[in-house]
Amino acid sequence: MKKIEFTPRLLLSSVILLLGVLLAFVPKNTTTPYKLTAVQILEEIKAGTQYLGPDEVAQMVVEKDPSLQLIDVRPKDEFEKFSLPGAINIPLDNLLALEFADVFNQNVMMNVLYANGSTKANEAWMLLRQLGVDNIYVLQGGLNYWAETIMNPQAPSSTSSDDELAKYDFRRGANNALGGGSVETSQKTGTSTGSAPKPKPAGKKQKIAGGCS
């Protein structure tokens, strides 16, 4: 199957279309008043502020950041087969269940939603943002992109920039720290093995290849 490369324009168009479809089928809320309009949510989508990149999340996981709460919105059976370290499972279908209200109605933890790709996590994010929850983010690219960048990073060429080499070393170090195996580092940077060095800032607006929901 040919791999689809998501350009910034294509990604934005896809998310806007998803927003329109989602809001059209969301049942009327009779218990909790909506706090954000579709227009307000659309502005946030255009800004891309809901995304946290895999490098940033991996750093928080490795450092056991107490403010991080990973939330897997996939079905329970998928969650039990594989999940990110420390994640809890709140399937998308149960997102608004009263038993999970305290997870979102707080301003202490940074809730990061993820699924296989970005679609289902974005659906969850839009529903929660419409209810005014403001401490939620989406893992950019989901588990598919996590596997590509953190679990199986592609080695840069010898002519790559120092930033690219440092990013590769960080990803290999993070993979090792999370139990992914031995670490190979770039010869140019000479970073020691077995650690997860700080990544150089890459920005949250990096666009990625798409995947399944």
Side-chain angles (χ1 to χ4, degrees):
M1 181 182 294
K2 184 178 181 181
K3 187 175 182 180
I4 300 175
E5 187 71 22
F6 277 73
T7 64
R9 178 175 297 180
L10 180 57
L11 182 61
L12 177 58
S13 299
S14 300
V15 174
I16 291 174
L17 178 60
L18 172 63
L19 174 63
V21 173
L22 179 64
L23 294 181
F25 288 95
V26 169
K28 184 177 181 180
N29 187 351
T30 58
T31 58
T32 306
Y34 293 140
K35 297 182 180 180
L36 271 72
T37 66
V39 173
Q40 290 173 312
I41 296 175
L42 179 58
E43 288 302 315
E44 293 188 15
I45 290 173
K46 290 166 64 177
T49 54
Q50 78 269 35
Y51 290 112
L52 289 181
D55 292 316
E56 186 172 358
V57 174
Q59 185 69 48
M60 296 177 74
V61 173
V62 169
E63 294 180 346
K64 295 181 172 58
D65 191 321
S67 68
L68 175 67
Q69 179 62 76
L70 292 167
I71 300 176
D72 192 318
V73 299
R74 299 174 301 158
K76 182 180 179 180
D77 60 334
E78 294 185 31
F79 173 78
E80 291 177 343
K81 291 178 181 177
F82 175 81
S83 64
L84 296 181
I88 61 174
N89 184 216
I90 305 181
L92 183 59
D93 292 345
N94 298 329
L95 195 69
L96 303 183
L98 292 178
E99 62 182 297
F100 300 122
D102 290 342
V103 175
F104 303 111
N105 295 333
Q106 46 80 28
N107 294 310
V108 178
M109 304 293 287
M110 176 186 292
N111 292 319
V112 180
L113 309 167
Y114 74 85
N116 292 326
S118 296
T119 303
K120 290 188 181 300
N122 267 314
E123 290 176 356
W125 177 85
M126 285 187 282
L127 284 171
L128 292 168
R129 284 300 292 134
Q130 193 175 28
L131 295 175
V133 179
D134 58 8
N135 59 334
I136 53 171
Y137 300 87
V138 173
L139 173 61
Q140 192 176 29
L143 292 177
N144 293 334
Y145 194 48
W146 178 274
E148 179 183 334
T149 56
I150 304 302
M151 297 176 66
N152 299 289
Q154 182 176 0
S157 66
S158 59
T159 58
S160 297
S161 67
D162 288 343
D163 283 349
E164 288 300 313
L165 293 169
K167 183 186 295 184
Y168 173 71
D169 284 349
F170 161 74
R171 290 172 174 175
R172 292 291 295 166
N175 178 49
N176 183 65
L178 296 175
S182 61
V183 175
E184 297 174 1
T185 59
S186 61
Q187 295 181 355
K188 186 173 180 179
T189 61
T191 304
S192 61
T193 62
S195 63
K198 295 278 187 181
K200 295 188 177 182
K204 296 182 182 178
K205 303 301 186 293
Q206 180 187 9
K207 301 302 179 182
I208 62 174
C212 299
S213 60

